[in-house]
Amino acid sequence: MSFYHVYQTIRDDDFYPMHDQTSEKDMMTILHKNILTEDDFLRLLSPMAEMYLEQAAQKAHALSLQYFGKTVLLYTPMYLANYCVNRCVYCSFNTQNVIERRQLTYNEIEEEAKAIASTGLKHILILTGECRKTTPVAYIVNAVKRLKKYFDSVGMEIYPLTEEEYKTVINAGVDSLTVYQEVYDETIYDNVHLSGPKKDYKYRLDAPERACRQKIRSVNIGPLLGLNDWRKEIFFTGMHAKYLQKKYPDVDISISLPRIKPHAGTYEARYDVNDQDLVQALMALKLFLPRVGITISTREAPDFRDNLIPLGVVKMSAGVSTEVGGHALEHGSDSQFEISDPRNVNMIKHAILKKGYQPVFKDWMPF
Amino acid sequence: MNQLVIGGKTLQSRLLIGTGKFPDKKIVPEVVEASGTQVVTMALRRVDLDSKEDNLLDYIPKHCTLLPNTSGARNADEAVRIARLARTMGCGNWVKIEVISDNKYLLPDNMETVRATEILAKEGFVVLPYMNPDLMSAKRLVDAGAATVMPLGAPIGTNRGIRTKELIQIIIEEIDIPVVVDAGIGRPSEAAEAMEMGADAVLVNTAIATANSPVHMGKAFHLAVQAGRLAYEAQLGRQSTYGNASSPLTGFLYEGVNS
Ligand code: SF4
């Protein structure tokens, strides 16, 4: 059994009749319930629910306060390499794009680490493209060992690994894993991943579960919004998170909802996802899965990010560069995508305090 | 008022507070003062000794007893490691055991909690274990050397009040070490209720930390805990499991004894 089996049972559901039939009374009932069903979740994603966004937000705010308090954890990504063998149409690192390719040496990793650690951050997320030749698991393991000297928490957003490999990196000190499915619709998935190992939909879909079985601490999943109708993608994402939460109660599950950003390729988002849509998506997820943490990246603009804090965001990236070596090295590389919030760690820290929330730099330690 | 003694320390205040959810660490001292608390718990995983300005420990007034908690531990071994780390870091020898392997409801794992308590009590820790309100587990915790038991009123952060009232009442009646109601208390009136029931203390985090004014809410809890305790000591709140009939059926046995 894997989430793929669940996906197969819901993939062909026609959500629209359910959306059309959602009444104001349904909405009031849902907003007053403690535990939501999958149907309730679907209704929260309906156009009718747009009218109840404020009420949903009030509830999401209250739930978030209860479970997470007035705190926001800060972290930053560190790009180790941008070599990639895949052809994902939406990404600059796509093997066919002509960009400057780079990979950090272990010493460069330490230099970057020192620069990041000097800002006070204790949580880091390492990223690579998918290239087992230049960035094999052994390279990741060595990088993690070096980074552990500077950071309490090292997360990983790299290509999907085998279960055995997850075990190795977890033993080396990786405590969280981010794997975006990008798009849950299998046909669209096939169309936007033109070639490379990433074409294997199921192998990627099952990656979080392989890590959960190896006792990873936390798992972050999500769709890349813009590749499909967001309402459907959010529904699948919520179902995926619920599945993982239920099957692996000791793993912290969180969700990110990145939107496609300008990059070095020519692909543009097929489906528009505006700010209101994103808020509706976040509110629906929060009400359906109150304990799931929401992460918001610098793909979003400063004001928008700040305004999302009271709505249940518990993790934010800060002081971000999407270039390999972008924190300390003179010659970085081309970036993966354009960021929208260029503020440094200190500025973000103050923005969070201004919202009446506590920026948390350290929320984990290896034990 | 009678005094509360935990781990050999006499406490004037029966309100313990948590620091996990405050909007700003800087208000912790003010909240501590308003709430009159003498025991402050904090997640060790959040303590950052390297950071000059952001070290939570700096904001906890010196007269308070630190109660590092093992939040993040999924089993007894991890809880034990965190407790030892806390002691090495200079956080004293009090520790609140939190072993949670269910990230959805955040319910404690009593079996692992007993195991961690046993190990740590032997090592000289003053162990305050957070638990599901189950009498047999509470007894095992006492045998394991716990300094208190801390049953939950409702799942962490839910602010639903004391939903486990009947079970906590049994623990209060049967257990001879201090009973601290932890988790679930959302309002001062609920803290008063716990105290009226005979709980020795309450631990509050979310309700104070997420109030519009944590300082005022801290004060409100301070007063509520005092009021509840006073009511308990005045024996107004005591409930009996057995009926006290106003015309006793065995009264005839004693009739005339004193006349
Ligand atoms: S999204 Fe990832 S796998 Fe795809 S091209 Fe970019 S770096 Fe490579």
Side-chain angles (χ1 to χ4, degrees):
Chain A
M1 181 72 181
S2 98
F3 177 66
Y4 188 64
H5 298 109
V6 180
Y7 171 73
Q8 281 175 314
T9 63
I10 53 177
R11 60 182 296 168
D12 298 322
D13 285 0
D14 189 357
F15 301 147
Y16 299 109
M18 169 80 99
H19 280 169
D20 295 344
Q21 286 157 20
T22 300
S23 67
E24 294 188 24
K25 195 167 147 262
D26 290 332
M27 288 310 304
M28 289 320 290
T29 313
I30 294 167
L31 288 168
H32 284 97
K33 278 171 88 168
N34 272 335
I35 294 173
L36 270 52
T37 63
E38 282 148 29
D39 281 357
D40 295 334
F41 177 41
L42 207 49
R43 289 194 156 104
L44 282 170
L45 293 169
S46 70
M48 168 59 86
E50 285 167 23
M51 283 165 54
Y52 293 86
L53 211 52
E54 177 55 28
Q55 283 100 317
Q58 294 290 348
K59 191 169 176 193
H61 171 67
L63 285 170
S64 202
L65 277 192
Q66 286 172 16
Y67 287 112
F68 298 96
K70 293 194 161 183
T71 62
V72 180
L73 176 77
L74 294 178
Y75 73 98
T76 210
M78 182 199 274
Y79 282 74
L80 299 184
N82 59 6
Y83 289 94
C84 192
V85 296
N86 289 309
R87 281 173 67 203
C88 310
V89 296
Y90 47 79
C91 175
S92 303
F93 295 172
N94 179 327
T95 190
Q96 287 204 324
N97 287 338
V98 184
I99 58 162
E100 196 188 322
R101 304 274 169 180
R102 264 202 84 156
Q103 174 183 19
L104 297 183
T105 65
Y106 297 129
N107 286 341
E108 285 173 333
I109 289 174
E110 292 216 26
E111 261 183 73
E112 284 276 287
K114 279 180 204 151
I116 294 170
S118 72
T119 65
L121 293 172
K122 295 279 178 183
H123 286 232
I124 195 162
L125 175 68
I126 54 172
L127 294 94
T128 65
E130 174 152 11
C131 184
R132 281 178 171 269
K133 223 169 86 197
T134 47
T135 51
V137 176
Y139 169 74
I140 307 289
V141 165
N142 285 331
V144 171
K145 284 184 182 155
R146 299 226 175 191
L147 290 167
K148 280 307 242 187
K149 290 195 269 178
Y150 304 91
F151 303 103
D152 288 293
S153 166
V154 178
M156 180 175 87
E157 184 178 340
I158 66 164
Y159 49 91
L161 302 182
T162 65
E163 199 163 324
E164 217 22 64
E165 287 169 335
Y166 278 127
K167 191 173 171 184
T168 316
V169 291
I170 291 166
N171 286 341
V174 168
D175 52 67
S176 75
L177 172 72
T178 293
V179 195
Y180 298 130
Q181 187 57 26
E182 319 289 13
V183 57
Y184 282 88
D185 183 299
E186 206 171 347
T187 315
I188 299 177
Y189 185 93
D190 198 51
N191 292 338
V192 295
H193 299 108
L194 302 178
S195 68
K198 195 165 171 181
K199 264 197 113 49
D200 191 338
Y201 174 90
K202 189 166 178 293
Y203 188 67
R204 190 171 185 87
L205 191 70
D206 288 342
E209 203 167 349
R210 289 197 293 277
C212 287
R213 278 199 293 267
Q214 290 307 319
K215 301 262 171 237
I216 189 106
R217 291 274 162 181
S218 64
V219 157
N220 185 41
I221 59 168
L224 179 58
L225 294 176
L227 296 174
N228 185 20
D229 176 351
W230 66 269
R231 298 176 201 273
K232 284 189 182 175
E233 287 298 314
I234 297 297
F235 183 71
F236 293 136
T237 306
M239 294 298 286
H240 193 183
K242 188 183 169 187
Y243 168 89
L244 292 171
Q245 209 178 42
K246 190 155 185 197
K247 196 156 173 197
Y248 304 97
D250 53 351
V251 181
D252 241 327
I253 307 295
S254 60
I255 293 176
S256 295
L257 300 179
R259 292 191 273 190
I260 291 187
K261 297 293 298 176
H263 54 98
T266 53
Y267 179 85
E268 277 178 29
R270 298 273 157 85
Y271 295 82
D272 196 34
V273 185
N274 63 32
D275 287 359
Q276 188 193 308
D277 299 336
L278 188 62
V279 169
Q280 187 179 356
L282 285 170
M283 297 307 91
L285 284 165
K286 194 79 209 165
L287 266 49
F288 182 50
L289 304 165
R291 270 293 308 166
V292 158
I294 304 283
T295 304
I296 209 90
S297 78
T298 50
R299 283 171 187 261
E300 302 301 338
D303 277 356
F304 187 56
R305 288 205 332 149
D306 294 353
N307 286 324
L308 288 180
I309 294 173
L311 298 183
V313 167
V314 295
K315 233 177 174 187
M316 274 174 124
S317 49
V320 170
S321 163
T322 65
E323 294 170 23
V324 181
H327 292 277
L329 308 183
E330 260 182 37
H331 294 290
S333 65
D334 285 321
S335 61
Q336 189 185 23
F337 56 84
E338 269 178 32
I339 61 168
S340 302
D341 185 351
R343 291 175 297 179
N344 66 24
V345 175
N346 211 23
M347 288 160 82
I348 292 188
K349 178 178 150 184
H350 284 106
I352 292 171
L353 281 168
K354 217 170 127 204
K355 276 272 162 197
Y357 279 68
Q358 181 192 162
V360 172
F361 283 77
K362 174 177 182 293
D363 196 23
W364 191 247
M365 67 196 321
F367 19 86
Chain B
M1 275 197 199
N2 287 342
Q3 278 163 339
L4 168 64
V5 181
I6 301 177
K9 236 178 230 182
T10 303
L11 301 169
Q12 313 299 332
S13 164
R14 292 173 180 274
L15 172 62
L16 285 62
I17 68 166
T19 52
K21 297 178 175 177
F22 279 99
D24 190 340
K25 286 178 211 151
K26 293 193 182 76
I27 62 168
V28 169
E30 245 186 294
V31 175
V32 166
E33 184 172 347
S35 68
T37 190
Q38 291 168 293
V39 180
V40 178
T41 174
M42 83 256 169
L44 197 71
R45 66 186 159 95
R46 284 225 178 135
V47 174
D48 186 357
L49 291 177
D50 302 340
S51 166
K52 312 240 161 356
E53 49 169 329
D54 272 306
N55 184 0
L56 172 62
L57 289 173
D58 293 340
Y59 295 100
I60 300 177
K62 295 287 167 275
H63 71 269
C64 288
T65 298
L66 286 180
L67 179 59
N69 67 51
T70 65
S71 133
R74 292 185 300 191
N75 55 46
D77 299 333
E78 288 179 353
V80 167
R81 280 204 286 277
I82 298 174
R84 288 177 185 153
L85 203 61
R87 191 152 67 175
T88 329
M89 282 163 63
C91 297
N93 68 338
W94 282 41
V95 66
K96 176 183 165 191
I97 303 294
E98 262 184 63
V99 179
I100 291 172
S101 53
D102 150 51
N103 276 326
K104 187 171 174 194
Y105 299 102
L106 304 178
L107 291 170
D109 181 332
N110 281 356
M111 268 164 74
E112 291 290 296
T113 303
V114 172
R115 202 157 73 77
T117 301
E118 197 162 15
I119 299 169
L120 292 168
K122 276 197 192 121
E123 293 180 13
F125 280 92
V126 175
V127 185
L128 290 78
Y130 170 57
M131 65 174 307
N132 267 310
D134 162 59
L135 178 62
M136 296 321 291
S137 303
K139 286 188 173 184
R140 289 192 179 110
L141 285 169
V142 174
D143 293 344
T148 66
V149 288
M150 303 177 89
L152 59 89
I156 291 184
T158 55
N159 284 353
R160 293 211 186 118
I162 307 173
R163 295 295 175 107
T164 55
K165 192 168 180 179
E166 296 295 323
L167 299 170
I168 291 184
Q169 190 75 63
I170 292 170
I171 292 177
I172 290 171
E173 279 165 22
E174 297 297 322
I175 297 296
D176 294 329
I177 58 175
V179 177
V180 182
V181 177
D182 184 4
I185 290 177
R187 303 158 183 262
S189 56
E190 291 157 1
E193 183 188 6
M195 299 310 293
E196 284 170 7
M197 281 163 63
D200 295 277
V202 295
L203 194 152
V204 181
N205 182 11
T206 313
I208 295 177
T210 64
N212 268 345
S213 167
V215 176
H216 286 150
M217 193 55 94
K219 177 96 187 165
F221 270 98
H222 173 57
L223 297 171
V225 167
Q226 282 190 324
R229 181 65 192 180
L230 209 54
Y232 173 74
E233 287 178 3
Q235 303 211 341
L236 290 174
R238 184 165 283 174
Q239 289 178 352
S240 174
T241 319
Y242 315 103
N244 280 325
S246 49
S247 320
L249 297 175
T250 53
F252 66 91
L253 293 174
Y254 313 106
E255 266 167 25
V257 171
N258 289 324
S259 57

